Amino acid sequence: GETRYNKDKILQGQGVDEPLSATGFRQADAAGLFLSNVKFTHVFSSDLLRAKQTAATILGKNKFSNDLEIKYDARLRERKYGVAEGRPLTDLKAMAKAAGEQCPSFTPSGGETLDEVLERARDFFDFLCRLAVELEQKEQDVCAAATRSSEAPAEQSGFPWTNHCSETELSSDGASQTLDASILVVSHGAYMRNWIGYFVSDLNCTLPTDITKSQLSSVSPNTGVSHFIVKLENGNVLKPEITCVCLNQDSHL
């Protein structure tokens, strides 16, 4: 969600730990309502305040998962911008120009390189894949969950994409009920842009047909939602098959 620093185009990175603005809380509420029917098995968030507040607000609106514990992980923090943190974005651009470089590849003094951000994202994604494999291996638990999902609940859980996104189709019978894990991750714009770039460039993620290069390289709007389906054939965490259902979705705002 938005902070006052977002609105004023001031870099926050990791060193500025601003709370959500009133607008940011409204955005988080809207995202929570949008995702209220998704049955999450896990919730992870950056340990920076703006992400923690966003995750808690989203989960508080959820019909199925609001008793889950949010796990905070420093690997999900925004890119560190060093001496540029707390300063206007225009200052970062001026620093890059003076160095003969361009944003976002420029690294200010004390900041993280894009490779360092990517390493954090890669490490966290590997952790998620191993988590999913461990869940699959707990056969009794999986069978019990399958039995429960086959019963007709008062309210059906599911993803809200039908009328909002390009069709990289989920099955009409509700793919969420066949997943070993349904994981909500709340992070930050520059970090997620790098993570998505890793999916596309390194892991050959399948994209919706109408996604443009500019959309791939742009930062998500505040509380923008992206949805990926990850398949690990025979528990092989080294070769995940990734499908992007939607990218930086903001129709809830």
Side-chain angles (χ1 to χ4, degrees):
E2 182 192 87
T3 68
R4 65 189 177 98
Y5 274 53
N6 287 145
K7 186 176 181 181
D8 294 338
K9 299 189 185 307
I10 296 174
L11 284 169
Q12 296 170 102
Q14 298 181 14
V16 178
D17 204 13
E18 274 286 297
L20 296 181
S21 64
T23 296
F25 276 111
R26 286 195 294 271
Q27 292 169 335
D29 276 338
L33 288 170
F34 185 61
L35 298 171
S36 61
N37 284 316
V38 181
K39 196 170 187 178
F40 295 113
T41 58
H42 302 78
V43 181
F44 293 95
S45 170
S46 156
D47 60 353
L48 297 175
L49 181 58
R50 56 195 185 272
K52 291 167 74 171
Q53 290 177 326
T54 302
T57 302
I58 291 173
L59 205 56
K61 299 285 184 184
N62 197 275
K63 296 176 182 176
F64 300 98
S65 314
N66 57 15
D67 59 343
L68 280 180
E69 179 187 358
I70 302 172
K71 299 294 180 74
Y72 303 112
D73 198 306
R75 289 173 293 185
L76 293 172
R77 288 181 181 180
E78 180 58 292
R79 183 184 181 188
K80 185 178 181 181
Y81 285 98
V83 297
E85 292 183 352
R87 296 170 65 174
L89 178 60
T90 51
D91 284 7
L92 178 67
K93 291 179 178 178
M95 291 178 196
K97 185 176 181 181
E101 298 182 40
Q102 289 186 329
C103 293
S105 56
F106 170 69
T107 304
S109 177
E112 282 184 297
T113 66
L114 291 180
D115 284 344
E116 287 172 330
V117 178
L118 181 59
E119 185 56 38
R120 282 200 284 127
R122 185 188 290 117
D123 186 56
F124 184 77
F125 180 61
D126 181 68
F127 159 74
L128 289 187
C129 290
R130 293 180 189 282
L131 173 68
V133 170
E134 287 173 11
L135 287 170
E136 187 181 25
Q137 288 170 346
K138 294 178 180 176
E139 291 184 359
Q140 290 182 343
D141 291 344
V142 171
C143 288
T147 302
R148 286 195 299 273
S149 67
S150 66
E151 297 169 359
E155 289 186 279
Q156 291 289 335
S157 63
F159 295 93
W161 311 132
T162 307
N163 299 318
H164 299 282
C165 295
S166 308
E167 309 288 321
T168 310
E169 294 294 340
L170 291 171
S171 61
S172 59
D173 60 348
S176 63
Q177 293 184 356
T178 67
L179 298 176
D180 291 315
S182 177
I183 302 172
L184 172 66
V185 178
V186 180
S187 186
H188 307 269
Y191 176 90
M192 290 189 290
R193 175 172 60 190
N194 282 274
W195 192 358
I196 291 167
Y198 167 60
F199 277 179
V200 174
S201 299
D202 293 45
L203 300 181
N204 299 313
C205 173
T206 301
L207 296 168
T209 54
D210 61 348
I211 292 290
T212 64
K213 286 186 177 180
S214 63
Q215 285 174 293
L216 275 176
S217 61
S218 64
V219 171
S220 172
N222 288 112
T223 68
V225 177
S226 297
H227 181 198
F228 297 89
I229 297 175
V230 181
K231 294 181 181 179
L232 302 167
E233 201 69 39
N234 299 319
N236 187 353
V237 298
L238 299 178
K239 290 186 177 181
E241 179 185 320
I242 305 174
T243 301
C244 176
V245 180
C246 63
L247 187 71
N248 300 337
Q249 175 62 234
D250 65 354
S251 63
H252 54 285
L253 298 177

